[in-house]
Amino acid sequence: MALVTAWLRIPFWQRVLGGFLLGALAGWLMGPAAETWFQPLGDVYVNLIKMIAIPLVLFAVINAVGALHGQKSIAALAGRTFAWFAVTAVLAVAVGLAVGWIIKPGVGVGALSIASDYTPKDVPGPLDVLLNIVPQNPFRALSATAAGKTPEGMNVIVPSNSTILQVIFFAGLIGFAFVKLGDKVVGLRSLAREANDMMIQVTRFVLEFTPLGTFGLIAGLVGAYGFEKLLPLGNFVIALFIACILQIVVVYGALLLIHGLNPLKFFRGAAPAMQVGFVASSSFAAMPVSLRAVQHNHGVDKDYAAFAVPLGASIKMDGCGAIYPALAAVFIAQYSGIELHAGTYVTIALASVLGSFGTAGVPGTAVIMATVVLSAAGLPLEAIGYLYAIDRVLDMMRTMTNVTGQMLVPVLVAKETGLLDRTVYEAASSNVGVEHDDAGQPIKEQA
């Protein structure tokens, strides 16, 4: 018991970082055997996160919409949120293009071969994406999480064209009904609030497994992947990491400063979710941690956060939907010896920003987005197969950028609308798990 208490007193981000470093060491020492021995730990952790994601979003959105003061307030907040989604996406595209133009990752690269496991992606049309937001059967959408894999072996979070956007849509309708019916549904409104509190507590319990899950995921990745795949495309990997770091530190940091917020405090509070996004390579896997961090560490109003964070996890993808397609287009143009003109750069930027919303919730978003951008720019589509071999490593940094942006926008909007608790923000907590006092007893949060 004393050992557990001592463990829980260590700041959450330090426990996760320790799991990351130990996992990398174990993977390096054991090689491919690490995947066999330790990957199951990571798989169990990801399954736990997926287990809580749908009910957490369902009850959080119902409670949030039901508690807000009418549809006008919700529409105004949604409008600001989408506006900042678009602004940060435009800035992300600019960063990707600039880094590609300066570093020139496609110049001087030897002959590349298309990854053996690469298959072209089918790009859904805008109408298909729009229609899929409305579930034909809400219970199917609620029960479809992580039920299978694509032909390429990629885990499908919500197969059969169902997405978490369907859950948000259905939960939002229920919340609007609560607003419309008023005192007639006091009991149901209270039940939704209690169910939301219950899921928050379950989330805290699950998050305590994050260090162990991080250890398993990183050990399996390092052991199975090695470094030989990175060598031919090392410049592209470096360019992507630089672009993502610039987006996170410079762009996001500048936006926080403009809003009068200390960036260091934001990143301290966001660190746990950023870590989970990096090791799990999934915005959905990081979403419960992101929601907890935005509410608990940043002081964003719980009702607004419950709407904005799940929405961001579905359509806000600065790494996968903006930086990566723009940088990939520049890389492929340089590798193929195709000169890009000013008009082509504009086309790439528009396709990246608009397409990132259009492919929301589709498995393999980054590859699909790159396909959309290459088609718009008239670049060879098959060249995406060159980058597919290193996609897993790229996805770690892309996803961390996604997750950071998904937390940034609610903080900015909350600051603009008076929904940010500056006392909580300035305290800069980094603990999203179960907090304990000096005696080792769980601390009960204020409602």
Side-chain angles (χ1 to χ4, degrees):
M1 185 63 183
L3 183 61
V4 173
T5 301
W7 168 255
L8 292 174
R9 286 177 181 171
I10 301 173
F12 184 82
W13 71 271
Q14 293 182 12
R15 283 181 268 156
V16 175
L17 179 61
F20 181 94
L21 295 176
L22 290 175
L25 179 62
W28 177 65
L29 292 175
M30 296 184 63
E35 183 178 23
T36 301
W37 286 97
F38 299 130
Q39 183 65 37
L41 291 175
D43 293 340
V44 169
Y45 171 69
V46 172
N47 287 340
L48 284 171
I49 290 290
K50 291 177 179 178
M51 174 188 73
I52 65 176
I54 292 296
L56 179 65
V57 170
L58 175 68
F59 293 121
V61 173
I62 291 175
N63 185 60
V65 176
L68 291 174
H69 300 294
Q71 300 181 20
K72 184 176 180 180
S73 173
I74 298 171
L77 287 172
R80 283 180 179 266
T81 303
F82 276 106
W84 276 112
F85 282 175
V87 168
T88 50
V90 170
L91 295 174
V93 171
V95 169
L97 291 175
V99 170
W101 184 73
I102 294 171
I103 295 181
K104 294 180 170 45
V107 175
V109 179
L112 297 175
S113 59
I114 294 178
S116 59
D117 56 348
Y118 171 72
T119 54
K121 306 290 182 181
D122 292 328
V123 180
L127 183 60
D128 293 331
V129 175
L130 182 63
L131 292 176
N132 283 334
I133 294 176
V134 181
Q136 297 181 15
N137 184 341
F139 296 101
R140 182 184 181 187
L142 291 170
S143 63
T145 304
K149 294 186 176 182
T150 65
E152 299 84 21
M154 181 179 296
N155 287 323
V156 180
I157 304 252
V158 272
S160 304
N161 292 325
S162 301
T163 74
I164 202 166
L165 288 175
Q166 295 183 348
V167 177
I168 296 174
F169 181 86
F170 179 62
L173 284 181
I174 295 176
F176 281 134
F178 283 0
V179 173
K180 183 68 174 177
L181 293 173
D183 293 338
K184 294 181 181 179
V185 290
V186 172
L188 282 176
R189 187 182 290 108
S190 177
L191 179 62
R193 182 172 60 252
E194 292 170 1
N196 182 52
D197 292 340
M198 174 196 67
M199 285 309 306
I200 290 174
Q201 184 59 59
V202 172
T203 299
R204 294 187 198 128
F205 291 148
V206 170
L207 294 184
E208 289 302 318
F209 291 91
T210 300
L212 188 62
T214 298
F215 171 83
L217 289 169
I218 293 300
L221 176 66
V222 173
Y225 206 89
F227 298 100
E228 61 276 1
K229 290 184 178 180
L230 299 179
L231 295 179
L233 294 166
N235 286 341
F236 186 84
V237 175
I238 293 172
L240 179 80
F241 272 59
I242 289 175
C244 289
I245 291 171
L246 288 174
Q247 177 73 7
I248 292 171
V249 176
V250 178
V251 175
Y252 294 163
L255 291 174
L256 289 165
L257 287 173
I258 291 172
H259 283 76
L261 298 173
N262 187 331
L264 294 179
K265 296 184 183 296
F266 169 81
F267 291 124
R268 177 175 171 80
M274 293 170 66
Q275 290 170 322
V276 173
F278 187 83
V279 300
S281 296
S282 169
S283 293
F284 286 106
M287 190 269 294
V289 194
S290 301
L291 180 59
R292 174 78 174 150
V294 166
Q295 295 174 343
H296 180 264
N297 297 349
H298 294 141
V300 175
D301 178 80
K302 292 183 178 181
D303 293 330
Y304 169 60
F307 161 77
V309 174
L311 181 66
S314 301
I315 66 174
K316 172 62 179 167
M317 300 184 184
D318 287 347
C320 292
I323 292 176
Y324 176 73
L327 185 60
V330 175
F331 167 82
I332 290 170
Q334 293 170 349
Y335 177 78
S336 305
I338 300 173
E339 184 178 356
L340 297 179
H341 301 285
T344 309
Y345 280 111
V346 173
T347 300
I348 291 172
L350 288 175
S352 297
V353 173
L354 297 178
S356 63
F357 294 105
T359 55
V362 179
T365 299
V367 177
I368 291 177
M369 272 307 309
T371 302
V372 170
V373 172
L374 291 178
S375 298
L379 295 170
L381 298 181
E382 64 275 9
I384 282 294
Y386 301 150
L387 302 175
Y388 195 74
I390 59 170
D391 194 68
R392 180 65 178 86
V393 171
L394 299 175
D395 204 26
M396 298 170 75
M397 195 65 192
R398 291 189 313 231
T399 305
M400 188 174 77
T401 308
N402 296 343
V403 170
T404 309
Q406 292 157 14
M407 290 183 285
L408 173 83
V409 169
V411 170
L412 299 182
V413 174
K415 176 61 170 59
E416 294 173 346
T417 56
L419 296 177
L420 184 71
D421 188 332
R422 288 298 294 268
T423 303
V424 175
Y425 185 90
E426 295 298 332
S429 172
S430 62
N431 194 342
V432 294
V434 180
E435 293 197 66
H436 291 71
D437 58 24
D438 293 337
Q441 297 301 315
I443 298 174
K444 184 177 181 181
E445 295 183 20
Q446 298 296 320

